[in-house]
Amino acid sequence: MKTRVLAGLAIAAAATVALSGCVQSANASNAADSSSGTVNLTVFISGDTNVQDLWEKSLIPAFEKANPEIHVSTSIDLHGEHDAQTQANLATAVKAGKSVAYDLVDAGFVTTAGKAGLMAKVSDSSIPNLEDVPEATKEQGGTSAIPYRASSVLLAYDSTKVTDAPETLDDLLAWIKANPGQFAYNSPSSGGSGGSFVATVLAKYLSASEQETMQTTYDKSLESKWDEGFAKLEALGSSMYQKGVYPNGNDQVVQLLGSGQISMAPVWSDQFITSQKTGVIPKTVKAIQIADPSFTGSASFLGIPKTEPAAKKAAAEELADFVLSSKGQQLVASAVSGYPVIPLDSLPKSVADQFADANPSKLRLGFQSDFAADMNAAWDAKVPQ
């Protein structure tokens, strides 16, 4: 059977339309701001709809209530399918000294863009609540990134069908071969849970120093070390869901798991908790972390474009500071079950207890963004048949 990647053409088209307005100069809107006395901010999201809901249904209403002089809207590039284009357009705007049509960025490329000089430097003086974030967490993103939540990928399994869940990557790979059709992961370019599975298999064949290099810098010559891992992933194809169907996005994996069409899959920790709260995944589905190596995880970061006008930059910093407040972190925890990045003793006991074992500073990092982009392209070329 020919391997298929489940497509979302209508969604992709909508994302393209949304993206087209995100890379233009914001001079006109800035003028409107000054005449009305209201600052209009746009949060650009590169991710899934659950992150969009976090902003639109939780963070933005609470922030606007406390700051009626600031109006916030969102723009989304679903699954980050146009990240390369977004970064290229941002680089062009910064080089020309022009502002862009968004003011705060919630995307996986924030750290890379920051280190490339495309994001404004951030500090505790302009974002006071940033002081409460552990230094190790801030160091993951660099000096132009604002950590605001964290999560890790876990192995979810249907406990009514799986009585002895895999504890290591080797155990998991053996289980997949022994239970054909019962495991799925999304194509890595469509979501981080599938990307983490792929990166973890590749990491199995890397030395500790090679893994560290791929997490922090970029040396394309090291990608030859991926050959054995990609061969393993290709060989697993016939044991995947429907002999080689790779869902499009994290959501489709969760839906397959929740409907009982598969018995096991990698899932984001926050998405897993939220899906159980909403009933998408039954309580009989459990989640654990594997070892040798574990799945990846990290903080998620916000960034402010470097050429942001002063008034908007101040408002964007105020919004970021709210997100890092106790109230903002409670909203992140309740809306998307994201690990808080501020001390748990500053949060209500119910929230603190839920995340008592979560430490955003000690998650196994994935590949640096350039390596990750190359990995996604290599997977597309080598794994689906």
Side-chain angles (χ1 to χ4, degrees):
M1 173 182 282
K2 184 178 180 181
T3 300
R4 303 180 298 279
V5 177
L6 298 183
L9 296 180
I11 293 175
T16 302
V17 171
L19 179 68
S20 64
C22 294
V23 292
Q24 301 169 6
S25 171
N27 293 336
S29 61
N30 292 339
D33 293 346
S34 61
S35 63
S36 66
T38 299
V39 178
N40 294 311
L41 296 179
T42 298
V43 177
F44 176 71
I45 302 162
S46 171
D48 286 344
T49 54
N50 64 323
V51 180
Q52 183 180 26
D53 287 344
L54 164 65
W55 284 100
E56 293 183 351
K57 298 178 180 180
S58 296
L59 292 173
I60 290 174
F63 176 75
E64 289 184 335
K65 183 177 181 180
N67 300 272
E69 75 284 1
I70 304 175
H71 174 71
V72 186
S73 58
T74 66
S75 177
I76 185 168
D77 176 21
L78 198 62
H79 307 318
E81 292 180 356
H82 305 88
D83 278 354
Q85 179 186 345
T86 304
Q87 291 180 79
N89 287 330
L90 177 60
T92 299
V94 170
K95 185 177 180 180
K98 295 182 178 180
S99 56
V100 290
Y102 46 87
D103 311 286
L104 190 67
V105 180
D106 183 350
F109 62 78
V110 163
T111 57
T112 302
K115 291 170 183 177
L118 305 181
M119 296 289 177
K121 300 288 186 182
V122 297
S123 68
D124 301 348
S125 59
S126 58
I127 305 175
N129 286 321
L130 192 59
E131 184 177 6
D132 295 330
V133 180
E135 286 301 321
T137 304
K138 289 190 279 192
E139 287 172 2
Q140 291 177 5
T143 57
S144 296
I146 307 160
Y148 86 101
R149 62 184 173 90
S151 58
S152 63
V153 173
L154 302 173
L155 181 66
Y157 65 96
D158 185 340
S159 64
T160 66
K161 300 176 182 178
V162 181
T163 56
D164 187 17
E167 296 183 358
T168 67
L169 180 61
D170 283 341
D171 293 341
L172 173 57
L173 297 177
W175 187 94
I176 293 170
K177 294 293 287 186
N179 297 271
Q182 290 300 302
F183 182 86
Y185 68 94
N186 56 278
S187 54
S189 61
S190 70
S193 60
S196 180
F197 176 75
V198 172
T200 302
V201 173
L202 298 184
K204 170 180 166 60
Y205 302 101
L206 301 173
S207 68
S209 61
E210 288 167 346
Q211 289 187 53
E212 184 177 358
T213 297
M214 289 190 172
Q215 291 169 353
T216 57
T217 60
Y218 183 60
D219 179 357
K220 192 173 179 65
S221 67
L222 288 175
E223 292 176 8
S224 62
K225 303 284 188 177
W226 288 347
D227 290 349
E228 195 170 355
F230 275 124
K232 172 64 74 172
L233 291 165
E234 182 182 6
L236 287 174
S238 60
S239 298
M240 292 293 107
Y241 171 63
Q242 293 188 358
K243 297 184 178 180
V245 168
Y246 299 93
N248 183 47
N250 304 312
D251 286 342
Q252 287 191 359
V253 173
V254 169
Q255 290 163 11
L256 288 174
L257 191 61
S259 63
Q261 296 182 67
I262 57 174
S263 300
M264 192 177 293
V267 298
W268 280 110
S269 57
D270 48 2
Q271 193 169 27
F272 176 80
I273 296 171
T274 300
S275 296
Q276 284 207 323
K277 286 180 180 178
T278 58
V280 174
I281 296 178
K283 297 296 184 182
T284 51
V285 175
K286 309 297 183 182
I288 59 172
Q289 182 56 271
I290 61 169
D292 301 323
S294 65
F295 287 135
T296 56
S298 70
S300 294
F301 298 89
L302 306 175
I304 300 171
K306 186 175 182 179
T307 50
E308 183 79 345
K312 283 183 165 256
K313 182 174 184 287
E317 290 170 340
E318 193 167 352
L319 174 55
D321 195 57
F322 171 80
V323 173
L324 291 178
S325 68
S326 178
K327 174 65 174 177
Q329 291 288 283
Q330 290 176 56
L331 292 172
V332 169
S334 62
V336 295
S337 302
Y339 299 170
V341 296
I342 63 173
L344 293 178
D345 59 12
S346 63
L347 300 169
K349 186 175 185 301
S350 59
V351 178
D353 289 347
Q354 183 180 3
F355 297 99
D357 297 326
N359 186 341
S361 300
K362 295 185 178 180
L363 299 173
R364 189 175 81 82
L365 299 179
F367 293 140
Q368 185 261 6
S369 59
D370 292 314
F371 275 123
D374 291 349
M375 181 193 77
N376 294 347
W379 183 93
D380 289 340
K382 296 180 178 183
V383 176
Q385 299 296 319

